[in-house]
Amino acid sequence: MTDHETYSGGRIDKDDPRYDTLIRGFNLRWVGRPKYIEVCGDAAQVAKTVQQAVDKNLRITVRSGGHCYEDFAVGNDGGVIVDMAPMNRVYYDRERGAFCIEAGATLWNVIWALYKEYGRAIPGGSCYSVGAGGHITGGGYGLLSRKHGLIVDWLDAVEIVCVNADRRAEVVIASRDGSAAEQDLLWANQGGGGGNFGIVTRFWFKELPPAPPEAHLVNLAWNWSDMTHDQFAMLVDLYGTFFQKHSGVDSTYDGLFALLHLTQKAASQIVLTAQYVGDEPQRLHEFVAFMKSNARLASPVPQTNTVGRHHFPSPTMEVQRLPWLYVTQTLDGSGQNQRGKYKSAYMRKPFPKHQIDTMWKFLSDGFDNPQALLQVDSYGCRINAIPADATAVPQRSSIMKLQYQTYWTTEAETKKNLDWINAFYIAMYGDRGPHPDGTMDGCYVNYPDVDLKDWEYLYYLDNYPRLQSVKAAWDPHNIFHHRQSVRVPGA
């Protein structure tokens, strides 16, 4: 690794012309009014910034990529936003014998550098501009996760700025071979969410999976104009049935990852995108054949429109064989900056009939937004190979992962979009959300939703008490907090 000059740090206050830009999140719903933004280049600068804020009783929030779905990063009126953007290196740390990813690196920078310099990949990410800090601490996943697990399953150590019982900021290395307390802190950052225990500045991975040399990709669409209620039910049931059968730890379909975009009718098409990496590309052809196996379902057609924030590869239904890096770049879209709202759920079994009926109702009703959808990602395989308490991510028996999404442009459209997605979600799960019941398995902390009434359990299940213990040990004064941060026991 060559020497580099560390960014010396910089403070942006209300008189700085950059202030009005940097108080915003990627989601344009969120605009904060912090006292200032501190742009930091290394852990020492972060610790100094944190200490100054603690001494002045200023609230601290942190931004790596700014993609938090709620206002947890920038919603900090009168406080301090710690911006990690200059901490964006990806390199091999010879001293620790591990790959290092700094918390301000965006996922495309991570993917690009690991591939070109080391021939490695991370099993996470599908939006290029998401920051590593939030993605990793929340237990990030991506199109390689069925084959290689979650990114936190590979994590060996973190560098993190904490505030101790004496209200002093300190830089801590929490690793697998550290003290019991440090191992607990590492565990909490393996899916416990960002902004809970301190500010992670670096992540280390002693091993990472080899980057695939190529990928096979297919894109299918079904026109809403040809879709009946029965056909919609067939399509959703086929998808769930396939992944119920082929999401085991030793499945030969672990190289297959699929995304079913159940769009609102105004989008014109329902879209299925699937990628395969590995030595048996016929598995992708078998999946496509299965999705066409019900003769009563209308034949798929080429995709003609984008869905949600994703691009589409090309208007063809043919399976394409391409370099993996190119496929990843094609699928790795973040979309434009606009307003959005999101909700999530894990599925351990295919959708029951009443949920499919509810999907049909809310996706085919008069709500006219082509950017409203329910995205159903495949899950399972190697993700489910470790126990629920091995990391802070407890959902280790799911076969699908859901993301409810709606996007809009102007403030005037906010209420109707929130009303639609909230009503949809309540109709699916009731007021309690997707509580584990053998079919559902809670929610994903990296898709935060402040409407959840029982978020502690839905995100963390039985892991929450241990997270609280880590919080008490490493952030006893609750310096790092937001509306859904882990609570100190008894607070």
Side-chain angles (χ1 to χ4, degrees):
M1 187 184 75
T2 58
D3 292 336
H4 73 287
E5 182 177 348
T6 299
Y7 175 73
S8 59
R11 179 167 297 184
I12 298 170
D13 59 22
K14 295 177 182 178
D15 295 327
D16 192 298
R18 295 169 291 176
Y19 179 85
D20 283 342
T21 296
L22 297 183
I23 60 176
R24 288 167 163 79
F26 184 84
N27 184 343
L28 293 183
R29 291 179 66 198
W30 311 129
V31 182
R33 299 298 296 178
K35 185 177 180 67
Y36 56 88
I37 300 145
E38 196 77 28
V39 184
C40 296
D42 63 17
Q45 293 175 30
V46 173
K48 180 180 177 181
T49 299
V50 168
Q51 189 64 62
Q52 290 172 343
V54 169
D55 291 344
K56 295 178 180 179
N57 292 314
L58 299 178
R59 181 171 172 242
I60 302 164
T61 57
V62 60
R63 171 174 56 203
S64 52
H67 275 259
C68 185
Y69 284 171
E70 298 289 358
D71 66 346
F72 302 162
V74 300
N76 187 356
D77 293 352
V80 180
I81 296 175
V82 180
D83 193 300
M84 313 288 283
M87 300 184 64
N88 55 28
R89 293 186 305 147
V90 180
Y91 60 95
Y92 188 78
D93 186 333
R94 298 190 184 281
E95 182 178 345
R96 295 197 64 88
F99 299 98
C100 181
I101 297 173
E102 294 186 340
T106 59
L107 293 183
W108 182 246
N109 290 341
V110 174
I111 293 166
W112 187 262
L114 286 175
Y115 181 87
K116 285 199 166 186
E117 297 182 38
Y118 309 106
R120 303 285 176 162
I122 55 168
S126 62
C127 294
Y128 72 91
S129 56
V130 168
H135 180 74
I136 297 173
T137 55
Y141 78 108
L143 276 69
L144 296 180
S145 287
R146 278 169 53 90
K147 192 171 187 65
H148 296 299
L150 302 179
I151 190 169
V152 293
D153 300 344
W154 297 78
L155 186 61
D156 282 281
V158 297
E159 177 184 73
I160 180 170
V161 176
C162 298
V163 177
N164 64 25
D166 295 326
R167 297 178 66 86
R168 306 310 299 171
E170 55 183 355
V171 180
V172 177
I173 304 294
S175 67
R176 292 180 186 264
D177 56 3
S179 68
E182 290 167 350
Q183 290 178 34
D184 281 345
L185 181 59
L186 173 64
W187 175 88
N189 282 284
Q190 290 176 280
N196 277 319
F197 313 101
I199 300 178
V200 177
T201 50
R202 289 191 284 180
F203 302 88
W204 285 284
F205 304 83
K206 288 191 180 296
E207 295 290 342
L208 284 171
E214 64 182 21
H216 293 76
L217 181 69
V218 70
N219 233 44
L220 306 175
W222 287 265
N223 289 327
W224 262 108
S225 58
D226 299 329
M227 189 69 64
T228 66
H229 180 287
D230 287 345
Q231 289 184 332
F232 178 87
M234 292 173 202
L235 179 64
V236 173
D237 189 62
L238 282 170
Y239 189 83
T241 298
F242 184 90
F243 287 108
Q244 182 181 38
K245 185 176 181 181
H246 298 296
S247 294
V249 170
D250 298 319
S251 173
T252 56
Y253 290 86
D254 62 351
L256 173 71
F257 193 97
L259 309 93
L260 179 61
H261 301 94
L262 299 173
T263 59
Q264 213 278 336
K265 190 174 183 179
S268 301
Q269 291 183 316
I270 291 170
V271 176
L272 173 62
T273 300
Q275 169 187 286
Y276 178 83
V277 295
D279 299 327
E280 300 179 286
Q282 71 272 18
R283 300 299 181 192
L284 181 57
H285 293 273
E286 292 164 3
F287 171 63
V288 170
F290 185 85
M291 293 302 298
K292 297 178 179 180
S293 62
N294 192 319
R296 293 180 295 157
L297 181 63
S299 298
V301 297
Q303 183 180 353
T304 57
N305 301 301
T306 59
V307 290
R309 52 182 161 74
H310 289 280
H311 307 291
F312 62 94
S314 62
T316 177
M317 293 187 292
E318 298 298 318
V319 173
Q320 301 173 75
R321 177 184 175 184
L322 297 165
W324 169 79
L325 189 67
Y326 291 174
V327 171
T328 301
Q329 186 175 26
T330 298
L331 297 178
D332 218 4
S334 289
Q336 63 185 6
N337 290 85
Q338 53 187 333
R339 291 166 170 83
K341 175 63 180 178
Y342 314 81
K343 296 177 180 290
S344 69
Y346 289 91
M347 301 290 294
R348 299 178 67 182
K349 293 180 180 178
F351 295 98
K353 181 181 182 301
H354 71 89
Q355 288 190 348
I356 295 177
D357 292 342
T358 299
M359 293 179 206
W360 171 262
K361 174 184 176 182
F362 280 87
L363 295 174
S364 66
D365 66 8
F367 179 67
D368 188 21
N369 183 356
Q371 293 192 95
L373 70 152
L374 169 55
Q375 180 177 311
V376 186
D377 290 356
S378 58
Y379 211 65
C381 293
R382 299 307 302 174
I383 299 169
N384 295 345
I386 67 174
D389 60 356
T391 68
V393 181
Q395 291 87 0
R396 297 291 185 165
S397 57
S398 297
I399 64 170
M400 294 181 290
K401 192 170 190 172
L402 281 54
Q403 183 176 186
Y404 296 76
Q405 309 168 50
T406 184
Y407 303 90
W408 64 98
T409 304
T410 66
E411 181 60 32
E413 301 171 280
T414 297
K415 184 179 185 302
K416 71 175 184 179
N417 278 276
L418 295 183
D419 286 349
W420 176 81
I421 198 170
N422 288 334
F424 188 3
Y425 201 69
I426 290 172
M428 288 288 284
Y429 310 115
D431 290 338
R432 298 177 68 238
H435 266 249
D437 63 354
T439 299
M440 279 87 73
D441 202 23
C443 300
Y444 180 37
V445 69
N446 263 3
Y447 298 160
D449 175 14
V450 296
D451 302 323
L452 293 173
K453 295 180 180 179
D454 192 11
W455 58 267
E456 299 95 334
Y457 185 66
L458 291 171
Y459 291 151
Y460 304 118
L461 305 183
D462 294 334
N463 286 342
Y464 189 66
R466 184 178 175 188
L467 288 169
Q468 288 187 288
S469 296
V470 177
K471 179 76 169 178
W474 290 97
D475 186 20
H477 297 291
N478 197 29
I479 299 299
F480 304 99
H481 64 272
H482 52 72
R483 281 190 283 175
Q484 289 185 336
S485 56
V486 173
R487 308 290 190 238
V488 175

